[in-house]
Amino acid sequence: MKKKLPLDREERRNRYLLPLKCLFCYAEKSELKDIMKMEKTQEQEYTLMLKREYSNPCSSPKKFILFCCKLLFLESKNINWEANVWFTERLNISSERYSRSNAVESFSFLDIHFHENRQGLQRYLKYLLTVTSLNLGTIRIHHTYIKDFLRFLEDGGKVITDIDRNSMEEYLKSLSMSRITAQSYNNKLKIISTFLHYLHVTDYIGKFLNPIPLYYKKSYPGVNEIDNLDQKLDLLIVHLGEFPENLRIMSLILLTTGIKKGQLFLLRNTDFYYKYENSWMKVPDTTRSIPIPDILHWLVLRYSDKNHIPVENLLFLNNGKRFTAEGISRCDYETMQKVWYLDGCVCV
C-alpha cells in the first residue's frame, strides 16, 4: 500500500496540480481576469504553454479547463450570466423542466466570436431559462438553431445589431437550399423570428422589415411507418428473454401501453395500482390512467420488490441516473446487437 502512494501523488500532480499551476501562470501573463470567459484561442495558447513547460502532463487540457470553469460556475455566489459556458446544475431549474429524453448539462457560447452576437444570444437564453417555462430540451433546440444563424452572419462579417432585410434574405435563401424537411425548415424560421422579436422589444436591435413570414414552406404531417412492423414485433417478443431485466420490463411497458419514451423514464412504483378489479397505470405528465394487463402489473411489482425500489422512486435508472433516449440506446449494446432490427423499432 505504501508503494502505491508516490504513484498516486505523482498522478494527481500531473493530472491536476501542474495544469492548474500552468493555468495560473498563463492567466497572469495573458492578463486573463476570468477563466470562465476564456476563449478558444486562449485555450489553444494555454495548451501550447502546458506542453512547452511540462511536456503536456494533462491528457486533455480542454477537459481540464472545462472542469475548472464548471467548478467556478457552480460555486459562484451569483450565477455568472457572462460566462462562456453555463452549467444547468447551477441554474436553479425545476425538475419538471429537464429534458425527458436527453440530458442537457451545459450551454456553450464559445462558437460565437463577435461580442454583439454572443451577448444577444446570452440575453435571449437567460430569458428562456428564467422567465419562460420551456424545458431544457426545447431551449437546447433554440440555442442550436440561433447559433447556426449567428455563425452564418459571422461568416459574412456581420453582427446582429446591424441586421437588415438583405442580411435576413441571404440567410433564408441559404437555409432553403439545405436538405431538411419543410417542417424542420419552418421550425427554424419560427425560432429565429422569436429571437429577433425578443431583441427588438428589448431594444437590442432596431426595427427592420423582417422577411421571414414570406419564406415559410407548405408542410404536411409526416407519417412514420416501419417496414414489416408485425414481423419485427414478433421477433422482438421471441428474443425478449435475452434482454437484461430492466430493458425487458421497459420494452413490455412500451409494447402494451404505447406511452412515449420520455413518459417511460418518469414511471414510479406508485403509478401502478389495482382498482375496480383491474390493473391500472397512471401516465406520467398527464392526469389520466390506462388499464394494463394483470401480468404486466405483477411483473413490475416483482421487479421493484426484487431490486428494493421504494414506491416514490423512479422504476428505471441508468447507473443511478435517469434514463435518456441516448442512454437506453447504448444500454447493453451487445444484447441489442443480437436483435439487429431494434433500430427503428418501438422499444428504442
Side-chain angles (χ1 to χ4, degrees), residues 58 139 163 177 258 270-271 304 315 323 339:
C58 182
I139 295 177
I163 193 73
M177 300 296 291
T270 54
D271 292 326
S304 60
L315 274 175
F323 264 104
V339 197

Side-chain angles (χ1 to χ4, degrees), residues 35 73 95 191 217 280 303 341 343:
I35 294 176
F73 190 85
S95 58
I191 288 176
K217 294 181 179 180
W280 295 79
Y303 168 78
Y341 55 85
D343 186 23

Side-chain angles (χ1 to χ4, degrees), residues 21-234:
K21 178 182 177 181
C22 186
L23 185 58
F24 284 140
C25 292
Y26 172 79
E28 183 179 3
K29 290 182 179 180
S30 63
E31 297 183 352
L32 176 65
K33 297 180 180 179
D34 190 346
I35 294 176
M36 288 188 283
K37 295 182 181 179
M38 200 170 184
E39 301 291 341
K40 281 190 173 182
T41 54
Q42 293 173 315
E43 290 181 0
Q44 294 170 357
E45 291 174 354
Y46 162 74
T47 300
L48 291 174
M49 181 178 177
L50 182 64
K51 186 175 183 179
R52 183 176 65 250
E53 298 291 335
Y54 301 105
S55 300
N56 200 18
C58 182
S59 59
S60 179
K62 185 177 179 180
K63 288 184 179 180
F64 176 75
I65 294 173
L66 188 65
F67 167 78
C68 293
C69 291
K70 182 177 182 179
L71 193 63
L72 291 171
F73 190 85
L74 296 182
E75 294 188 354
S76 61
K77 183 177 180 181
N78 299 312
I79 297 174
N80 188 344
W81 295 109
E82 295 182 356
N84 288 341
V85 182
W86 298 350
F87 298 91
T88 56
E89 187 179 343
R90 177 66 180 83
L91 299 181
N92 302 321
I93 303 297
S94 61
S95 58
E96 295 78 11
R97 296 179 62 192
Y98 277 85
S99 176
R100 302 308 187 203
S101 57
N102 292 297
V104 180
E105 298 181 352
S106 63
F107 293 97
S108 174
F109 305 93
L110 287 168
D111 294 338
I112 308 301
H113 303 293
F114 293 1
H115 174 73
E116 294 88 345
N117 294 341
R118 181 181 293 181
Q119 188 178 57
L121 177 55
Q122 287 179 325
R123 286 188 179 191
Y124 180 62
L125 214 69
K126 180 181 177 182
Y127 161 75
L128 294 181
L129 290 164
T130 61
V131 178
T132 74
S133 58
L134 295 177
N135 69 49
L136 291 178
T138 302
I139 295 177
R140 167 58 60 83
I141 294 173
H142 281 247
H143 179 248
T144 302
Y145 287 174
I146 294 170
K147 280 209 304 184
D148 291 342
F149 168 60
L150 294 176
R151 281 198 293 263
F152 176 85
L153 293 181
E154 292 187 352
D155 288 342
K158 300 174 183 176
V159 294
I160 192 67
T161 49
D162 295 330
I163 193 73
D164 56 20
R165 182 185 178 96
N166 291 334
S167 300
M168 282 304 305
E169 287 186 337
E170 288 178 13
Y171 170 74
L172 294 171
K173 289 176 182 177
S174 174
L175 184 62
S176 65
M177 300 296 291
S178 58
R179 296 183 178 181
I180 57 176
T181 65
Q183 185 61 51
S184 296
Y185 170 86
N186 291 340
N187 290 340
K188 286 192 174 186
L189 294 197
K190 289 177 183 177
I191 288 176
I192 300 301
S193 183
T194 304
F195 170 61
L196 293 174
H197 178 71
Y198 169 81
L199 295 184
H200 170 62
V201 298
T202 56
D203 295 325
Y204 194 75
I205 63 173
K207 187 175 182 179
F208 72 101
L209 188 59
N210 189 348
I212 284 182
L214 303 176
Y215 279 79
Y216 284 110
K217 294 181 179 180
K218 194 168 186 178
S219 62
Y220 301 91
V223 179
N224 297 321
E225 294 184 355
I226 301 174
D227 295 335
N228 303 317
L229 177 60
D230 290 339
Q231 296 178 14
K232 292 178 179 179
L233 289 177
D234 290 340

